[in-house]
Amino acid sequence: MKLPRPKTLLWMSAAAAVLTIILKTLAWYVTGSVGLLSDAMESFVNLAGAVFALMMVTIAERPADEDHPHGHHKAEYFSSGFEGMLIFGAALGILWTSIDRLMNPQPLEQLGWGMAFSMASTVLNGIGAWVLLKAAKVHNSIALEADGRHLRTDVWTSLGVVAGVALVQLTGWLWLDPVVAIAVALNILKEGWHLIRNSSHGLMDSVVDSETADSIQQTLDRFVQQEKDAQGRELVRFDHVVTRAAGQRSFVSMHMHVPASWTLGRSAKLRNDVERALVESQPQLHATIEMLPFDMEPVQTLGDLEPVAEAASASTAATISSVAPPVSCQPQHGFPGSAVRMGARE
């Protein structure tokens, strides 16, 4: 089944959030349950999160320009962080209301209708969460993942609230209603923290996920095994391999060492073959490969984060600038056989 584009999915998520707000507000109105009220408040966060995610995805789809040569893909991370902060705000509001109700318990009314409205909204959120999380993997979109995880949390929240309301009806213990609401608040605080943490990792140029890292490694290993001389010695080596994730795009840069006796044409052809193979295995990947002879290393690599010595001359600084790879400084990650190993997010 072909899934819609991220923007279309987020429009659908916003529409579903409006319907969910209506259903949950009705559930709270007919019962007076503070647990159902907390559930309705979280749905307002769902709506705000979906609208903001839609804005950020729209920005992320803009092509690269002079001011943003790597594109605008990181805009999606702002969506994840914003939704996390909204969840924190909703949780604090729920805690405030719940503690007041715990100190001043009130009887609940028309629980049958209230639970029916709540369960209808839960089914709607469950379907939305499943679609968004599946689409997040297909499109490699953290904005869709954040919205999907939030909806999934809302499903468990709603089920917990309905269970609490049912227990109040069975036992007559009015204090159960605010206690369940407090548990709901603590649960969504955890989800909010998870979204904020993921957002910060992306904005700080974290490495690609383990699946993408494994795919890159397998592709490079295949070329190392293919390029050998008559004695079985390897004719190509990859090192200083660096990856970073940026929204729906991933980036990798590396050094490709070949024999100094090779012609420029032969080396360039191999580099193009490697780039093509990397992109074919991971369509969202952008690869940058610097060619070097076996006996040479650049003056500066991406792992050299220490500032250049103050005594360096202007000519030396110019040389370093010309030799260094044309990408932003990142932590160094290498493949087996290189000086370091490439890390990956789980």
Side-chain angles (χ1 to χ4, degrees), residues 82-227:
F82 178 75
E83 192 153 357
M85 289 187 287
L86 284 178
I87 290 176
F88 264 78
L92 293 177
I94 293 170
L95 285 172
W96 178 270
T97 305
S98 302
I99 292 173
D100 178 70
R101 180 60 64 90
L102 186 62
M103 303 301 294
N104 303 285
Q106 297 179 16
L108 307 182
E109 301 174 358
Q110 301 185 53
L111 296 182
W113 277 107
M115 288 190 287
F117 286 135
S118 181
M119 289 306 298
S121 66
T122 299
V123 171
L124 186 62
N125 279 337
I127 295 173
W130 179 79
V131 173
L132 286 171
L133 290 174
K134 184 176 181 180
K137 293 181 179 180
V138 173
H139 296 291
N140 195 32
S141 170
I142 189 174
L144 293 180
E145 180 188 356
D147 209 35
R149 291 179 68 92
H150 191 182
L151 286 180
R152 187 174 63 185
T153 299
D154 199 20
V155 170
W156 291 112
T157 295
S158 298
L159 291 175
V161 168
V162 169
V165 170
L167 286 174
V168 170
Q169 186 177 24
L170 290 173
T171 63
W173 296 344
L174 298 180
W175 55 268
L176 274 176
D177 181 41
V179 166
V180 168
I182 291 172
V184 166
L186 295 176
N187 179 54
I188 65 177
L189 276 174
K190 177 183 176 182
E191 184 65 23
W193 167 248
H194 179 88
L195 292 176
I196 292 174
R197 185 185 63 180
N198 277 1
S199 174
S200 64
H201 284 177
L203 291 172
M204 294 174 65
D205 282 340
S206 63
V207 296
V208 298
D209 58 77
S210 57
E211 181 180 351
T212 302
D214 290 342
S215 176
I216 294 172
Q217 178 170 335
Q218 291 169 9
T219 299
L220 298 186
D221 285 347
R222 186 169 72 250
F223 279 93
V224 170
Q225 294 302 316
Q226 290 176 358
E227 299 295 331

Side-chain angles (χ1 to χ4, degrees), residues 64 68-74 77 140 205-209 212-213 216 241-254 278-279 282-288 302 326-328 330-331 333 335 342-343 345:
H68 304 88
H70 290 289
H72 301 78
H73 311 288
K74 283 192 175 183
Y77 292 108
N140 195 32
D205 282 340
S206 63
V207 296
V208 298
D209 58 77
T212 302
I216 294 172
V241 181
V242 180
T243 69
R244 68 182 180 92
Q248 297 182 34
R249 293 296 303 274
S250 298
F251 296 85
V252 61
S253 62
M254 67 192 73
L278 288 169
V279 174
Q282 295 292 325
Q284 83 285 357
L285 185 68
H286 177 83
T288 301
L302 294 177
V327 289
S328 304
Q330 311 293 337
H333 305 283
F335 287 97
M342 182 175 74
R345 289 184 290 108

